[in-house]
Amino acid sequence: MKAVICTKYGPPEVLKIQDIPKPNPKNDEILIKTMASAINSGDVRVRGLKVNGFLKIVMRLMFGINKPRKPVLGTVFSGIVETIGDNVTRFKVGDSVFGMTGLKFGTYAEYIALKENDKVILKPENATFEEAAALPFGGQTAIYFLEKAGIGKKSNPEILIIGATGAVGTAAIQIAKHHNADITVVCSSRGDELVKSLGVSKIILYDKEDFTKSKSKFDIIFDAVGKTSKNQCKKLLKKGGVYKTVGGMEVAAENKRQLEILKALFEKGEYDATIDKIFPMDKVVEAHGYVDTERKKGNVVLRISE
Ligand SMILES: NC(=O)c1ccc[n+]([C@@H]2O[C@H](COP(=O)([O-])OP(=O)(O)OC[C@H]3O[C@@H](n4cnc5c(N)ncnc54)[C@H](OP(=O)(O)O)[C@@H]3O)[C@@H](O)[C@H]2O)c1
């Protein structure tokens, strides 16, 4: 099967399309023909070893010293169940599914084998495969951090989302809307139209205005791009308010419940996959180059199969 191999750490050109053996599912596994994956900020971070100082050593220890020991990157997918192991009961051949492999990677490939209890569920019925692949990364991260911030504990919480136009930010807007939050966002003029299209009217454009001078106070401040510190934001927090950032040491934990939330919201028409661009698999170098700019709006999808 065809797969994108990360041959070493470096620029997008280290990615090469190669033929590798198709996985052979075990008794408790399903074999999925991958239709789409998404290229996320996490993927380009691993490919380029894009962290500072001693974290480079930590990353090399975690992911491989000279190159990723799991050479097929990609952590999210949508696809069709092609075969099932003898002990599989939750899926049948032909099911359309989506999910997240997380640190197991492997989704930039024509096939993946997963345990039926992994983070894989039936795709939203009304979603294209491209849309389904765009849901998990930002969606699961946003659900994790907003729940940790206690978004469900207060009715109509006032929330500030900093960096509202990336994969995590656009998801955070929509998860916050689901909780009836009163939402203010910080983004650039380039993202103004997008956040309006997601239903936000309180917008602070960071290229025109310093959000830290705002007179408003919030129950939750969520930095969805990791560009601020708690110190910088603390005077905008109400008493008892919570600050969360994707930029610290806290790492989002993904689970199937989050996938179910995203599926249900999508099926009710309350969630937009927010796709910026779709690239075919053979344009993966270009696609990684685009995500490297850190300017993408929402999600970038990699189409694996037609
Ligand atoms: N801790 C965790 O578990 C976890 C999980 C997932 C992601 N992350 C991290 O979260 C960050 C965001 O991820 P992502 O996938 O959403 O990234 P992304 O989609 O690549 O984010 C790009 C967006 O960020 C906006 N942006 C860039 N600089 C900004 C600034 N100073 N203020 C406001 N907006 C800004 C850009 O818009 P403009 O250019 O128009 O400003 C662009 O729309 C990444 O650093 C990622 O590594 C952490």
Side-chain angles (χ1 to χ4, degrees):
M1 68 169 181
K2 273 200 297 182
V4 177
I5 303 292
C6 183
T7 55
K8 57 184 173 182
Y9 296 118
E13 289 71 21
V14 302
L15 300 172
K16 308 279 181 208
I17 295 183
Q18 294 180 4
D19 270 313
I20 61 168
K22 188 172 166 180
N24 208 356
K26 302 192 180 83
N27 279 346
D28 59 346
E29 287 184 335
I30 57 178
L31 181 70
I32 299 165
K33 177 180 163 66
T34 318
M35 298 302 289
S37 181
I39 297 176
N40 294 310
S41 51
D43 306 6
V44 302
R45 192 180 291 276
V46 174
R47 186 217 71 229
L49 211 62
K50 292 208 278 183
V51 285
N52 293 329
F54 85 98
L55 286 177
K56 277 202 194 316
I57 300 170
V58 175
M59 264 184 84
R60 283 182 192 275
L61 291 172
M62 263 180 86
F63 297 120
I65 301 297
N66 296 316
K67 58 182 182 181
R69 63 177 78 85
K70 295 196 168 142
V72 181
L73 300 182
T75 61
V76 294
F77 64 91
S78 63
I80 301 168
V81 175
E82 188 167 284
T83 56
I84 60 171
D86 288 345
N87 301 339
V88 169
T89 57
R90 287 186 50 240
F91 295 99
K92 59 182 191 315
V93 170
D95 279 346
S96 292
V97 294
F98 81 121
M100 150 85 74
T101 57
L103 292 180
K104 293 181 189 160
F105 297 98
T107 66
Y108 297 174
E110 287 180 311
Y111 291 91
I112 44 175
L114 294 178
K115 294 201 187 307
E116 66 169 338
N117 291 324
D118 281 339
K119 287 152 210 146
V120 49
I121 66 167
L122 293 180
K123 172 176 90 57
E125 279 181 17
N126 52 341
T128 62
F129 285 106
E130 286 84 4
E131 286 170 328
L135 299 178
F137 181 82
Q140 292 189 277
T141 305
I143 292 170
Y144 170 85
F145 280 101
L146 291 177
E147 286 184 350
K148 283 279 167 183
I151 194 163
K153 291 187 187 145
K154 194 167 184 208
S155 53
N156 312 114
E158 288 186 72
I159 174 165
L160 178 69
I161 300 169
I162 301 163
T165 54
V168 180
T170 51
I173 290 174
Q174 302 185 82
I175 299 301
K177 262 172 72 180
H178 170 59
H179 287 275
N180 298 315
D182 180 338
I183 305 168
T184 304
V185 302
V186 178
C187 65
S188 76
S189 305
R190 294 179 294 272
D192 192 32
E193 282 310 310
L194 171 60
V195 295
K196 281 182 183 151
S197 76
L198 294 173
V200 177
S201 55
K202 296 181 182 175
I203 303 165
I204 302 172
L205 300 175
Y206 74 74
D207 45 352
K208 302 228 164 99
E209 214 182 317
D210 178 355
F211 78 91
T212 62
K213 303 220 158 59
S214 167
K215 297 274 176 284
S216 306
K217 301 257 188 210
F218 301 93
D219 298 298
I220 295 172
I221 298 179
F222 177 42
D223 182 348
V225 279
K227 302 283 186 190
T228 63
S229 66
K230 184 171 182 181
N231 226 11
Q232 214 183 340
C233 298
K234 71 179 179 209
K235 67 177 190 304
L236 302 183
L237 278 176
K238 287 186 195 171
K239 194 164 182 290
V242 180
Y243 170 88
K244 284 276 169 193
T245 178
V246 294
M249 295 308 281
E250 186 170 5
V251 176
E254 300 105 11
N255 57 49
K256 262 203 268 205
R257 184 185 59 84
Q258 297 156 341
L259 291 176
E260 296 287 2
I261 293 172
L262 295 167
K263 173 178 154 76
L265 289 177
F266 196 94
E267 286 180 342
K268 282 193 279 180
E270 291 176 13
Y271 198 98
D272 187 278
T274 321
I275 295 176
D276 179 340
K277 287 178 195 263
I278 300 176
F279 291 87
M281 193 182 189
D282 61 359
K283 291 280 185 285
V284 66
V285 170
E286 202 180 303
H288 261 244
Y290 182 56
V291 177
D292 267 345
T293 64
E294 297 180 18
R295 301 268 89 93
K296 76 175 163 69
K297 300 287 169 276
N299 296 286
V300 167
V301 169
L302 189 67
R303 187 181 287 135
I304 308 282
S305 306
E306 295 294 336

